[in-house]
Amino acid sequence: MTFTLPHAWVLLLPLGLFLWKYGRRPGLPMWLRAALLVLIVGALSGPELRLTGAGSDVVVVVDRSASMPRDVDRTAQELITLLEAQRRPGDRVGVVTFGREARVEKPLSGSAGFGGFTHPVDAEASDLSAALDAAGALIPDERTGRVLVLSDGRATGADARGVARRLAARGLAVDWRHLARPEPPLDVAVVSVDVPAAVSVREPFQFSAVVHASASVTGTVRLERNGRVLLQGPFDFQPGPNVLPLRDLVEEPGLVRYQLSVAAPGDGVVENDRGVAVLRVEGPPRVLLLTNQSRGTLAQSLADAGLQLEVREPFRLTLDDLDGVGSVVLENVDANALGEPGLNALAAYVEEAGGGLVMTGGRSSFGEGGYRRSPVEALLPVSLEMREEQRRASLALSVLMDASCSMGVTVPDGRTKMELAAEGVVAALTLLNPKDEVSVHMVDTEAHEVFPLSPVEDGLPLDAVARGFSGGGGIYVGEALRTGRGEILQSQKPTRHVLLFSDAADSEQPEDYQRTLSTLRAEGVTVSVIGLGLPSDPDAELLREVAARGGGRVYFAEDAMSLPRIFSQETLTVARATFVDEPASLEGAPDLPLLGRLSSEGLPQVGGYNLTYLKPRANVALRTLDSNGAPVLAMWPRGAGRTVAFTAEVDGPYTGGLRTWNSLRAALEGMVRWTLAGAAPVGDAVVRTERRGHLLRVTLDLPPGEALAGAAPTVVLLPGDGRGSPVERPMRWEDEDRLVAEYPLDGSGTWHPVVRLGSKVLRAPPVTLPYAPEFEPGSAKEGQALLQAIAAVGGGVERLSMTGLFMEAPESLGRVALAPWLVALALAVLLAEVAVRRFLSAPRLKSARPSQVRARPGATVVDTGAASAASSPQGAPPITERPAQPEGAETTAAKPAEGGMDSALEAARARARRRLDR
């Protein structure tokens, strides 16, 4: 027997003393009260009775990373099915799968069978340590069990032996079965491409590459720089490492990407035949201008200012493109042109890497450009919210959502495409005003009504939208448009709009869509389309035609994560409320001198501007003189960088008098130079990076004798493609002037380390991992040895067969809680004590209350007890008289028994009577 709260037994001492002093009763009731006290304290202590035969728990951990055999899912499912067939009463089986991260595929169950793998994993890494942690978390502390690992042992991340020791401390052994690809007779792998950390423009330099071969072979080597072939030819590889000496010279500053590829006949592992390295060619910080007007006013103004300018059309940004860039200027650029990962990269570039950002206005910028609910919105010194006063006319909106089976696919963060689309619809509906009307339908092969056309002021069932489902088949476009027509034509609102969301690769049965769209256009209804997928998908052309015939817009969400942002963008565009297309005069604000010698005299009118609102603590240099009083030029520091918002259009139909303003060029130059100031160098500190296999090492060398100001430096690791989240790690002292941080890279790609040093940042040279760490040269025996070492920690064994696993597993000790039984017994004892005290105990004899009289001297005192007896029907002895006692003496007919509760009460009554007589 065990107790969950054994300290409760200490209460017996004070409670027992209290019972002895105030609750004592003679005979059996006292014993019953004592038993009741013991039972209550016993129940509070949480007693549990341990029994054997409660079964055992087995968690199967399945490695599904890229290095595993292609049929690993089928093999693992067969083994799990064999294991489940051996369950005894009380036995349970659970399944954990892992790649870069661990996921619970099946919780512990004693009856349900495993139906197959449903959770996708990132196969570029295999974090066995996290998977073992997840397996241990599934098994409760009070139960015993085992963990069975199905893996090739090529693990990345932390050392899994540490987790094995924690499991062994709980009595959980780790068994293993080695599943691996057949070891190839030949493997030629590019181990590394070692380039300098940084070079100057036109500086000749040497670098080298290391290629490992498992046997002698003649292969082909190909070296490229930014896609241009520098070297190609045969090479005789010898067993072991082969060093290739290389050299180059670069003409332009920026980030240079080298790729070395090898090819050899009979190579069994092609995944590691490519090596990549990036080289920083240093130069002055550049200004990257993204614009559709390469020869416009803004481009010419910045070029004439002597800035290192790079002008490009909008494209999918990465952090690689932003290396060496001091400031990014977006001239009327739609957010969709940058891509969702590009928006993430731009946000990390400003906040973490200390870059600058300037955004100018227009119909494709700010709120109407899709930046609301994007990572860039938080960077801006102005808010993109849509307030009630921005409304021009009420709106009727019919939303048609694709509910086909493809919408049930999960994205990397674990949510489904339908959940992201529903989040976007809810975000769009919250932008409507009370007088607007809206309907929502989900469509697969037929339309499913979420709610009909209803006024917003009546309340919308947003929770029903958020519970979006995915049905079967593809979306029938013709059926969806007919449903939208039937809903929207019920409204008499001046603006009526239909929004179709559909999979660009699964849009079916358009049927009479052309006639439906003609009817809608004749009634003044517009139709826009949000397509999930690529513009090149099979049904993308159909979606384009629907939007063109419907007089609306078409968006292609290549990344499902961008759906909430695109839904908000379309709603803002339909409302036509975030861009003021009327001329407005300007006035200077107190912060105008921050941009240089600019005068507030002679400020022009602008032909239009994006309506925004100044955020708290932001600086404003120009604002409008109309009723909005809106900021036109605002700025603020953001994270480690700086951002500027210029809500007027620099070069377009809404430029107005701004085009002839003689200080325009100076203002544009001042905005960009103000953001460049945030990337100032940090003293003489030097930061370096080094990659050893998949381990990244970042060092920071401080000037000798220089003390650190503030907290210890940290390293922030930024993924170059913008698809992951930044990772921050502390730096530790390696010697008196050097700090170091190490981090295992768990996937291929480029990584940009940034060292935070007080309020400043240092951009370390980026590093790249060309292929998943699991494909680094090595033999299957190394993975097998790792699994064997993990199992040896807790006494695990290799499981070549599933037979007997449950028989060998220790059975859990089942626990039976005794507290409910003790409470029930205590209630029974309480009832027994009441019954005994009421009906079975002898009645308590009460002494007669003494009659106290104050007698005069010589008087006769009558014995009241005798007189009372004489008044009885049967008669009694006559009343006797006895001499009176002296004055002050008391006569009592009977003296109460001393001791006990009754005697104490009677004595108190006597004292009270004496006080009254006096």
Side-chain angles (χ1 to χ4, degrees):
M1 180 183 295
T2 60
F3 300 92
T4 57
L5 190 63
H7 304 86
W9 288 106
V10 179
L11 297 174
L12 273 181
L13 180 61
L15 293 178
L17 293 175
F18 181 85
L19 177 64
W20 179 260
K21 183 171 179 62
Y22 298 107
R24 187 169 43 168
R25 298 280 298 186
L28 183 59
M30 186 62 189
W31 289 102
L32 291 174
R33 289 186 179 185
L36 180 62
L37 177 61
V38 173
L39 290 173
I40 292 176
V41 174
L44 290 176
S45 66
E48 293 179 337
L49 184 63
R50 294 200 171 194
L51 305 175
T52 58
S56 182
D57 293 338
V58 173
V59 179
V60 184
V61 176
V62 183
D63 184 352
R64 297 172 62 208
S65 60
S67 64
M68 292 291 290
R70 300 187 185 277
D71 62 344
V72 61
D73 288 5
R74 179 186 59 81
T75 304
Q77 187 165 359
E78 291 177 355
L79 294 175
I80 294 170
T81 302
L82 291 173
L83 182 62
E84 289 175 333
Q86 302 178 42
R87 283 182 297 206
R88 306 162 300 180
D91 290 337
R92 302 187 300 177
V93 175
V95 180
V96 172
T97 183
F98 71 99
R100 187 191 298 269
E101 66 287 320
R103 297 185 183 276
V104 177
E105 281 283 357
K106 176 179 174 292
L108 287 168
S109 172
S111 58
F114 180 58
F117 297 98
T118 58
H119 295 292
V121 297
D122 187 341
E124 282 215 337
S126 54
D127 194 346
L128 178 57
S129 175
L132 291 177
D133 265 331
L138 277 183
I139 302 176
D141 291 337
E142 65 272 12
R143 290 182 62 86
T144 61
R146 302 181 81 88
V147 177
L148 173 61
V149 177
L150 308 179
S151 173
D152 61 357
R154 301 180 71 88
T156 62
D159 191 343
R161 282 170 287 199
V163 183
R165 282 190 285 270
R166 293 196 293 271
L167 295 177
R170 294 176 50 192
L172 303 176
V174 179
D175 296 337
W176 58 282
R177 178 160 179 173
H178 190 243
L179 299 178
R181 295 183 179 183
E183 191 164 354
L186 175 66
D187 180 18
V188 179
V190 180
V191 176
S192 65
V193 179
D194 302 316
V195 299
V199 298
S200 301
V201 176
R202 298 188 60 79
E203 174 189 349
F205 62 93
Q206 293 182 338
F207 62 104
S208 63
V210 178
V211 179
H212 185 277
S214 60
S216 298
V217 67
T218 299
T220 303
V221 175
R222 178 186 176 96
L223 177 66
E224 301 176 24
R225 183 186 69 200
N226 293 343
R228 176 189 172 190
V229 178
L230 300 180
L231 173 67
Q232 184 170 358
F235 191 91
D236 294 328
F237 296 104
Q238 302 302 319
N242 298 262
V243 180
L244 281 67
L246 304 165
R247 64 178 62 190
D248 197 13
L249 180 148
V250 184
E251 301 280 351
E252 299 291 337
L255 196 66
V256 177
R257 179 184 180 89
Y258 290 96
Q259 176 173 304
L260 180 73
S261 304
V262 295
D267 189 356
V269 184
V270 298
E271 291 87 352
N272 56 18
D273 291 351
R274 180 176 61 95
V276 179
V278 288
L279 169 66
R280 176 179 292 170
V281 182
E282 295 182 335
R286 307 191 317 278
V287 176
L288 176 60
L289 171 60
L290 301 183
T291 179
N292 292 308
Q293 304 180 73
S294 59
R295 298 185 178 181
T297 303
L298 183 55
Q300 293 179 5
S301 299
L302 298 181
D304 294 343
L307 296 170
Q308 294 289 327
L309 183 64
E310 180 183 0
V311 182
R312 298 182 62 177
E313 291 186 356
F315 65 99
R316 307 285 178 176
L317 280 176
T318 67
L319 278 175
D320 295 355
D321 302 311
L322 299 179
D323 193 81
V325 174
S327 182
V328 177
V329 181
L330 304 177
E331 183 181 13
N332 198 16
V333 174
D334 192 290
N336 297 298
L338 305 179
E340 198 68 21
L343 296 172
N344 292 327
L346 187 58
Y349 162 76
V350 174
E351 290 201 84
E352 306 293 348
L357 172 65
V358 177
M359 182 182 291
T360 69
R363 284 289 191 185
S364 298
S365 189
F366 293 98
E368 288 203 13
Y371 291 95
R372 178 177 167 82
R373 295 179 62 87
S374 79
V376 175
E377 181 182 10
L379 305 179
L380 300 175
V382 293
S383 172
L384 305 184
E385 61 183 309
M386 187 166 65
R387 297 182 180 177
E388 187 60 33
E389 60 267 21
Q390 295 175 240
R391 310 282 178 175
R392 291 185 175 179
S394 56
L395 166 72
L397 178 65
S398 175
V399 181
L400 308 169
M401 301 177 62
D402 185 348
S404 61
C405 58
S406 62
M407 292 297 108
V409 177
T410 57
V411 296
D413 72 345
R415 290 180 291 176
T416 65
K417 295 178 180 179
M418 176 54 73
E419 289 174 331
L420 288 168
E423 180 183 335
V425 172
V426 171
L429 298 185
T430 57
L431 296 174
L432 303 177
N433 68 9
K435 299 301 181 183
D436 291 337
E437 297 175 345
V438 64
S439 68
V440 176
H441 289 75
M442 295 184 179
V443 186
D444 41 39
T445 56
E446 59 181 348
H448 309 275
E449 182 180 277
V450 179
F451 59 86
L453 195 70
S454 310
V456 174
E457 61 186 353
D458 290 350
L460 301 178
L462 299 181
D463 57 336
V465 181
R467 294 194 302 269
F469 62 91
S470 57
I475 177 175
Y476 282 15
V477 174
E479 176 66 22
L481 292 175
R482 287 194 298 271
T483 301
R485 179 187 62 188
E487 290 291 326
I488 204 68
L489 292 183
Q490 299 178 34
S491 175
Q492 301 301 318
K493 297 295 183 182
T495 302
R496 294 177 293 179
H497 189 66
V498 174
L499 178 57
L500 171 65
F501 166 65
S502 181
D503 192 332
D506 196 22
S507 300
E508 305 175 6
Q509 302 294 327
E511 298 174 346
D512 57 348
Y513 74 102
Q514 297 178 348
R515 185 172 60 183
T516 303
L517 292 170
S518 297
T519 303
L520 291 173
R521 292 300 293 137
E523 296 291 338
V525 179
T526 54
V527 180
S528 290
V529 178
I530 299 176
L532 180 59
L534 300 172
S536 58
D537 282 343
D539 299 319
E541 190 58 38
L542 170 63
L543 301 183
R544 288 193 190 92
E545 185 180 355
V546 169
R549 290 179 177 271
R553 292 150 298 280
V554 62
Y555 308 85
F556 288 102
E558 300 180 18
D559 190 331
M561 300 295 292
S562 65
L563 287 175
R565 177 181 57 80
I566 294 177
F567 272 102
S568 295
Q569 177 182 2
E570 173 62 12
T571 305
L572 292 175
T573 303
V574 172
R576 297 290 185 186
T578 61
F579 190 85
V580 178
D581 54 6
E582 299 175 353
S585 299
L586 302 180
E587 68 170 352
D591 298 319
L592 185 60
L594 290 176
L595 300 179
R597 297 181 179 180
L598 295 178
S599 173
S600 59
E601 300 294 331
L603 292 175
Q605 279 192 332
V606 294
Y609 62 93
N610 296 83
L611 181 55
T612 61
Y613 302 91
L614 192 70
K615 289 182 179 179
R617 297 187 298 277
N619 304 102
V620 58
L622 294 175
R623 63 167 63 95
T624 63
L625 285 173
D626 58 8
S627 58
N628 293 319
V632 172
L633 178 54
M635 64 203 79
W636 70 348
R638 178 65 185 184
R642 297 182 176 188
T643 62
V644 171
F646 186 63
T647 62
E649 191 172 38
V650 175
D651 203 352
Y654 299 101
T655 304
L658 194 66
R659 195 184 308 275
T660 59
W661 184 31
N662 55 9
S663 297
L664 176 60
R665 290 174 176 259
L668 296 175
E669 179 187 352
M671 287 187 281
V672 175
R673 290 194 182 277
W674 187 82
T675 59
L676 286 172
V682 183
D684 296 327
V686 178
V687 59
R688 297 181 177 88
T689 56
E690 179 185 7
R691 181 175 66 84
R692 300 174 180 174
H694 68 282
L695 184 67
L696 171 65
R697 177 181 171 89
V698 181
T699 59
L700 173 65
D701 291 313
L702 299 173
E706 181 174 316
L708 279 177
T714 60
V715 172
V716 181
L717 200 62
L718 308 177
D721 58 5
R723 295 187 180 275
S725 300
V727 178
E728 187 170 3
R729 290 288 185 270
M731 302 192 77
R732 56 180 175 81
W733 289 100
E734 190 174 61
D735 58 36
E736 59 181 8
D737 296 320
R738 171 173 290 183
L739 294 103
V740 65
E742 293 181 341
Y743 181 78
L745 303 176
D746 55 4
S748 62
T750 304
W751 305 85
H752 293 254
V754 175
V755 175
R756 288 181 175 174
L757 187 59
S759 59
K760 299 291 185 179
V761 295
L762 284 169
R763 300 186 199 176
V767 296
T768 186
L769 194 62
Y771 46 80
E774 296 178 319
F775 292 113
E776 293 176 1
S779 66
K781 294 181 179 179
E782 295 176 357
Q784 196 169 0
L786 175 63
L787 295 177
Q788 190 171 5
I790 293 173
V793 172
V797 297
E798 182 180 8
R799 292 286 174 182
L800 299 178
S801 171
M802 299 295 103
T803 304
L805 194 152
F806 277 112
M807 297 298 295
E808 298 175 17
E811 288 197 78
S812 302
L813 297 176
R815 294 188 178 187
V816 178
L818 300 180
W821 298 94
L822 294 181
V823 171
L825 185 58
L827 290 175
V829 171
L830 176 63
L831 295 176
E833 192 273 341
V834 173
V836 169
R837 180 164 41 86
R838 291 275 183 175
F839 305 111
L840 301 180
S841 296
R844 188 180 303 170
L845 296 177
K846 295 184 178 181
S847 301
R849 187 172 63 184
S851 175
Q852 299 174 348
V853 297
R854 190 178 299 277
R856 292 186 300 274
T860 301
V861 178
V862 180
D863 189 336
T864 57
S868 176
S871 64
S872 63
Q874 294 83 4
I879 298 175
T880 60
E881 296 182 356
R882 50 189 176 86
Q885 296 180 2
E887 185 176 358
E890 296 179 352
T891 303
T892 59
K895 184 178 180 181
E898 294 185 4
M901 186 71 71
D902 294 337
S903 61
L905 292 175
E906 197 61 43
R909 293 192 189 100
R911 288 194 296 272
R913 282 192 293 271
R914 285 199 303 271
R915 286 194 296 270
L916 291 175
D917 291 343
R918 291 173 186 169

